């Protein structure tokens, strides 16, 4: 629409997420085997639910401090001290999910034309937010094994590069970066004086070894973690961000004029959640990961994903991912074509965050289609 009711020019820079299009398609399917979902199939742990209900009942329903409520901040302070060795010269902020942290960070950091390096395939929000806030997303191809090749990343750096985005364990590939890879990335960031945004929302879901963060290796890191995946609280909108104080202070000021604070009852429940052991859930997902690799490893040439709850699977030879996904959907299996997350349309994302029964049926159908 033109004239006074026209939208801002920046709206032309983004489009509806491809995932949304797949979900719209899913709405037309009868009882699909849905392997497209980016959230856990378990529910919020009982103790956390009870604490949220208690918090509401005792009247903990008002605004909290913009930077987050005391007990949750205390818990976060403990995490960044013990895991990263970060003390009082680092800041931290409770956010409305990692999405909230990403919005505030890019808004606080980017000037017109600033370049942000994003390994491809990527979580779609990175590219859209960078575009919206005037930055330039510079994607770096990580096919075929989704490792962050330091040479390829360094080759993408220009004098406009400001930020390097890392996401390990990764959506959509399930890749988990090794300590050696993180050291190489830290060296590049140091050499070129970049800020690293480390999206660690899947930190709990590492199947072949402990999770490693770049944060203790490189001080100019903005770490983002969430409760959505680890504690299945996707609807509660809770996350946190920690890093260089001046960046966190700027993000806090922006939060004051946007989200105001993260939901109060979710913050109360978050403290309880952080004390819980999610080991059994992770173990269940490790078994599902193994099932996916057993079923598709050889027939599809799937590289074993080390974390998150996704496999990024090559489409059968001679077909684009979009073509294969169309066939899968015609056979009642919902998966997402790789071009939603990437410049390439060669792979599809399968989420194994579903029941064992549905996963088994879905894998059978995909194999029969290959
Ligand atoms: N980062 C990644 C890599 C994700 O996959 C997601 C959700 O799918 C998010 C961030 C956003 O999570 P939140 O619910 O904490 O906003």
């Amino acid at each position: 629409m033109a004239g006074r009711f026209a939208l801002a020019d920046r709206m032309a820079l983004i489009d509806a997420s491809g995932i949304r299009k797949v979900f719209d398609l899913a709405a037309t399917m009868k009882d699909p085997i849905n392997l497209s979902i980016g959230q856990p199939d378990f529910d919020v742990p009982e103790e956390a639910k009870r604490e949220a209900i208690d918090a509401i009942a005792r009247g903990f329903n008002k605004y909290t401090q913009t930077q987050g409520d005391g007990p949750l901040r205390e818990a976060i302070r403990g995490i960044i001290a013990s895991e990263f060795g970060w003390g009082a010269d680092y800041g931290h902020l409770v956010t409305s999910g990692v999405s909230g942290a990403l919005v505030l960070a890019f808004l606080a950091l980017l000037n017109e034309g600033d370049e942000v390096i994003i390994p491809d395939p990527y979580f779609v929000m990175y590219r859209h937010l960078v575009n919206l806030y005037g930055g330039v997303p510079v994607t770096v191809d990580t096919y075929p094994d989704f490792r962050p090749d330091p040479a390829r990343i360094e080759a993408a750096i220009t004098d406009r590069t400001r930020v390097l985005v890392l996401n390990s364990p990764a959506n959509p590939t399930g890749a988990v970066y090794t300590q050696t890879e993180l050291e190489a990335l830290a060296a590049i960031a140091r050499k070129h004086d970049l800020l690293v945004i480390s999206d660690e929302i899947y930190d709990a879901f590492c199947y072949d070894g402990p999770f490693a963060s770049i944060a203790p290796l490189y001080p100019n890191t903005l770490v983002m973690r969430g409760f959505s995946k680890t504690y299945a609280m996707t609807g509660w909108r809770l996350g946190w961000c920690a890093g260089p104080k001046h960046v966190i202070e700027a993000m806090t000021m922006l939060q004051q004029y946007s989200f105001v604070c993260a939901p109060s009852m979710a913050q109360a429940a978050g403290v309880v959640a952080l004390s819980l052991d999610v080991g059994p859930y992770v173990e269940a997902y490790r078994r599902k990961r193994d099932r996916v690799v057993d079923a598709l490893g050889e027939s599809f040439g799937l590289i074993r994903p080390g974390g998150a709850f996704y496999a990024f699977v090559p489409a059968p030879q001679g077909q684009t991912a979009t073509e294969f996904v169309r066939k899968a959907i015609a056979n009642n299996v919902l998966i997402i074509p790789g071009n939603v997350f990437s410049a390439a349309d060669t792979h599809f994302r399968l989420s194994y965050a579903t029941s064992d029964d549905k996963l088994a049926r879905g894998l059978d159908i995909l194999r029969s289609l290959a």
Side-chain angles (χ1 to χ4, degrees):
M1 191 179 295
R4 280 195 291 163
F5 301 111
L7 298 175
D9 294 343
R10 75 177 74 86
M11 290 306 296
L13 299 172
I14 57 169
D15 55 21
S17 154
I19 291 192
R20 190 95 10 243
K21 289 177 204 152
V22 177
F23 288 166
D24 289 347
L25 200 57
T28 68
M29 294 166 71
K30 258 208 207 111
D31 193 26
I33 298 172
N34 194 342
L35 306 183
S36 76
I37 297 188
Q39 56 185 333
D41 66 317
F42 56 87
D43 199 4
V44 175
E46 282 306 316
E47 297 90 328
K49 278 190 197 170
R50 245 187 337 260
E51 177 55 27
I53 293 165
D54 285 355
I56 291 172
R58 68 175 180 266
F60 189 64
N61 298 308
K62 307 285 196 287
Y63 299 127
T64 69
Q65 283 191 299
T66 285
Q67 62 270 36
D69 190 46
L72 183 56
R73 282 176 58 76
E74 194 52 46
I76 295 165
R77 197 174 298 127
I79 293 171
I80 65 175
S82 68
E83 286 190 38
F84 312 152
W86 285 2
D89 40 347
Y90 287 83
H92 57 283
L93 168 68
V94 177
T95 57
S96 292
V98 169
S99 306
L102 287 165
V103 165
L104 298 173
F106 287 127
L107 198 51
L109 289 166
L110 296 182
N111 279 318
E112 202 68 31
D114 284 346
E115 294 176 5
V116 176
I117 296 190
I118 303 172
D120 175 334
Y122 46 77
F123 175 53
V124 233
M125 195 181 281
Y126 306 144
R127 186 166 60 84
H128 287 314
L129 290 183
V130 170
N131 272 327
L132 268 181
Y133 300 141
V136 180
V138 176
T139 55
V140 175
D141 187 322
T142 64
Y143 291 85
D145 56 4
F146 315 122
R147 307 316 315 172
D149 179 347
R152 285 202 221 173
I153 286 176
E154 193 161 23
I157 295 174
T158 72
D159 53 5
R160 290 308 309 264
T161 308
R162 297 274 318 282
V163 178
L164 167 63
V165 176
L166 302 179
N167 170 219
S168 167
N171 175 9
T173 64
V176 178
Y177 294 179
T178 64
Q179 184 71 22
T180 313
E181 286 168 339
L182 293 171
E183 280 163 13
L185 294 168
I188 293 171
R190 193 172 297 114
K191 179 172 160 196
H192 298 276
D193 205 18
L194 304 181
L195 184 91
V196 170
I197 290 183
S198 184
D199 178 346
E200 304 181 356
I201 193 164
Y202 296 100
D203 66 327
F205 300 92
C206 280
Y207 308 123
D208 301 324
F211 167 74
S213 171
I214 194 170
L217 304 173
Y218 185 61
N220 266 335
T221 297
L222 209 49
V223 173
M224 298 179 182
R225 290 205 186 163
F227 293 73
S228 286
K229 315 292 174 172
T230 314
Y231 306 105
M233 294 181 183
T234 47
W236 290 14
R237 310 312 308 131
L238 190 66
W240 58 266
C241 180
K245 231 176 185 164
H246 72 287
V247 181
I248 296 292
E249 277 166 9
M251 290 170 64
T252 307
M253 187 160 63
L254 288 171
Q255 173 138 286
Q256 205 172 334
Y257 298 125
S258 53
F259 301 93
V260 180
C261 64
S264 55
M265 74 296 292
Q267 292 191 55
V271 179
V272 171
L274 286 173
S275 71
L276 301 176
D277 173 22
V278 292
Y281 298 118
V282 176
E283 200 42 52
Y285 278 27
R286 183 204 313 278
R287 285 195 295 271
K288 291 177 202 287
R289 188 278 309 258
D290 290 344
R291 236 163 251 156
V292 171
V293 173
D294 286 347
L296 308 185
E298 241 167 70
S299 44
F300 282 80
L302 164 68
I303 296 173
R304 181 190 182 84
F309 31 72
Y310 310 108
F312 205 56
V313 190
Q317 283 243 312
Q319 302 176 44
T320 65
T322 300
E323 286 162 352
F324 183 72
V325 167
R326 218 173 275 135
K327 267 192 224 164
I329 289 176
N331 285 273
N332 215 33
V333 178
L334 199 55
I335 48 179
I336 301 184
N339 63 356
V340 166
F341 316 94
S342 176
D345 191 27
T346 51
H347 292 57
F348 61 89
R349 190 188 78 174
L350 175 159
S351 160
Y352 47 87
T354 188
S355 71
D356 288 342
D357 168 56
K358 281 213 165 170
L359 182 60
R361 284 193 287 141
L363 291 172
D364 278 349
I365 294 171
L366 292 176
R367 264 152 53 118
S368 73
L369 292 176

